[in-house]
């Protein structure tokens, strides 16, 4: 597995791959603009070319994370329109920057249930990916909180089927979300069972990225609370199981942890992943 981290661009997009590499990362993820607004930036050809050159020079596979506000299946038509427009612009940005995949949360169905909102959800997702040919939209599993879309591997599979298995759509699992959602990822049997289920229902070739986060809460809590590697309810032994399963050896693992100094993913957490890998 290639280990990477979510990193701030610090207003210097082209310098981001080198900063990530200096921390020991083999891949990076970042926000294009603020994650708490629907207003997305655009990039000049010069900025895009400089970033692509920097990712090549530093051998740094790049990923984006969509803003947090997206709600593709919501019955709130105004919110859905804002979500789709902003997400579509993000995909345009991703294509221009040479981004491999854009991780997105899918929002809430507001108590309507997935089946009822599925037609609107699929329509939204297809519009979001309409501009792209290379960059993938990566649907992320959620922590099982009430009303959220994508609370299980089965839900992800149902959405994938409903899109007609659109080749522009792939997936992202998150270790914290999975534990909180009831998956026993800390044991060889539990992690293997989850991966086998994903492979059967979707296909592991559609899983390029796994978010590597420990969890502040225990299994089945349905709470999305990230913790530093080894410091939460997954712990060192759990991450040994996760990281050393041969089914994930070709995946990219991205840290989204608080960091030792509470400043975000950092070198100590990257080093910890390396220490736990056989």
């Amino acid at each position: 597995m290639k280990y990477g981290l979510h990193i701030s661009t610090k207003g210097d997009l082209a310098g981001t791959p080198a900063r990530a590499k200096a921390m020991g990362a083999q891949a990076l993820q970042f926000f294009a603009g603020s994650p708490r607004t629907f207003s997305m930036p655009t990039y000049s050809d010069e900025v895009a070319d400089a970033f692509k050159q920097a990712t090549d020079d530093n051998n740094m596979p790049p990923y984006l994370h969509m803003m947090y506000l997206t709600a593709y299946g919501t019955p709130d038509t105004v919110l859905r329109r804002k979500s789709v427009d902003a997400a579509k612009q993000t995909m345009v940005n991703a294509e221009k920057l040479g981004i491999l995949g854009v991780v997105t949360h899918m929002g809430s169905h507001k108590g309507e249930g997935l089946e009822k909102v599925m037609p609107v959800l699929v329509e939204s997702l297809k519009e979001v990916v309409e501009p792209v040919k290379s960059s993938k939209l990566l649907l992320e599993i959620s922590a099982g909180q009430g009303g959220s879309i994508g609370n299980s591997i089965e839900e992800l599979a149902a959405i994938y089927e409903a899109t007609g298995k659109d080749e522009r759509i792939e997936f992202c699992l998150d270790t914290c979300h999975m534990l909180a959602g009831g998956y026993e990822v800390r044991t060889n049997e539990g992690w293997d069972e989850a991966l086998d289920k994903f492979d059967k229902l979707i296909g592991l070739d559609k899983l390029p990225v796994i978010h590597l986060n420990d969890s502040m809460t225990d299994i089945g809590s349905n709470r999305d609370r990230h913790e530093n590697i080894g410091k939460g309810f997954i712990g060192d032994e759990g991450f040994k199981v996760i990281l050393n399963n041969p089914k994930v050896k070709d995946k990219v693992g991205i840290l989204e942890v608080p960091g030792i100094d509470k400043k975000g993913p950092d070198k100590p957490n990257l080093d910890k992943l390396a220490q736990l890998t056989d």
Side-chain angles (χ1 to χ4, degrees):
M1 185 183 286
K2 287 187 176 180
Y3 297 139
L5 44 70
H6 186 97
I7 187 170
S8 170
T9 64
K10 295 184 180 291
D12 177 21
L13 184 60
T16 304
R19 287 194 298 107
K21 186 174 183 178
M23 295 169 69
Q26 299 169 295
L28 64 81
Q29 175 185 284
F30 63 97
F31 289 120
S34 169
R36 303 187 186 282
T37 176
F38 286 118
S39 179
M40 288 294 103
T42 57
Y43 298 97
S44 67
D45 292 343
E46 292 78 12
V47 168
D49 289 344
F51 177 72
K52 287 189 285 188
Q53 187 63 55
T55 59
D56 288 345
D57 290 346
N58 290 279
N59 190 25
M60 190 66 55
Y63 294 87
L64 270 176
H65 199 300
M66 197 74 77
M67 72 289 293
Y68 292 137
L69 306 176
T70 46
Y72 306 117
T74 178
D76 182 335
T77 56
V78 174
L79 176 57
R80 185 172 77 89
R81 188 70 258 157
K82 287 181 177 179
S83 297
V84 171
D85 289 346
K88 193 172 182 179
Q89 178 59 49
T90 303
M91 297 308 293
V92 170
N93 289 340
E95 194 84 348
K96 188 167 189 176
L97 295 173
I99 299 297
L100 299 178
V102 181
V103 179
T104 187
H105 303 161
M106 288 179 279
S108 172
H109 53 63
K110 299 294 185 182
E112 296 287 325
L114 178 59
E115 184 176 355
K116 185 171 182 179
V117 305
M118 186 71 86
V120 170
L121 173 66
V122 169
E123 180 183 340
S124 297
L125 294 175
K126 283 189 168 290
E127 186 175 349
V128 169
V129 298
E130 185 274 330
V132 300
K133 295 180 180 178
S134 299
S135 298
K136 306 295 186 182
L137 182 67
L138 308 183
L139 308 183
E140 183 174 0
I141 197 167
S142 60
Q145 56 269 52
S148 291
I149 295 172
N151 279 339
S152 66
I153 294 170
E154 287 86 353
E155 282 198 8
L156 296 181
I159 294 165
Y160 190 44
E161 288 285 343
T163 67
K165 297 186 176 180
D166 194 304
E167 63 181 12
R168 296 163 296 186
I169 293 175
E170 295 186 351
F171 298 88
C172 172
L173 297 180
D174 182 302
T175 54
C176 169
H177 297 180
M178 292 187 75
L179 186 76
Y183 291 95
E184 183 48 275
V185 299
R186 298 169 293 193
T187 67
N188 287 311
E189 296 78 11
W191 182 226
D192 220 42
E193 181 182 350
L195 292 173
D196 285 346
K197 180 177 289 187
F198 189 97
D199 195 28
K200 179 181 178 181
L201 297 180
I202 298 173
L204 285 172
D205 60 320
K206 300 298 181 183
L207 178 67
V209 172
I210 298 174
H211 283 163
L212 299 174
N213 302 304
D214 213 327
S215 176
M216 291 184 181
T217 59
D218 207 348
I219 188 168
S221 67
N222 301 131
R223 298 183 68 198
D224 182 4
R225 297 290 184 272
H226 297 188
E227 181 57 283
N228 291 319
I229 302 300
K231 301 299 183 183
F233 280 89
I234 296 179
D236 286 358
E237 295 305 311
F239 272 101
K240 285 182 181 178
V241 166
I242 291 166
L243 302 176
N244 293 300
N245 189 299
K247 294 184 176 73
V248 301
K249 65 179 176 13
D250 62 340
K251 307 305 179 186
V252 172
I254 300 285
L255 286 167
E256 297 178 321
V257 295
I260 302 302
D261 296 326
K262 307 299 182 185
K263 296 180 180 179
D266 50 19
K267 181 172 173 49
N269 275 281
L270 280 171
D271 291 343
K272 184 75 167 180
L273 294 177
Q275 292 166 12
L276 297 173
T277 304
D278 293 339

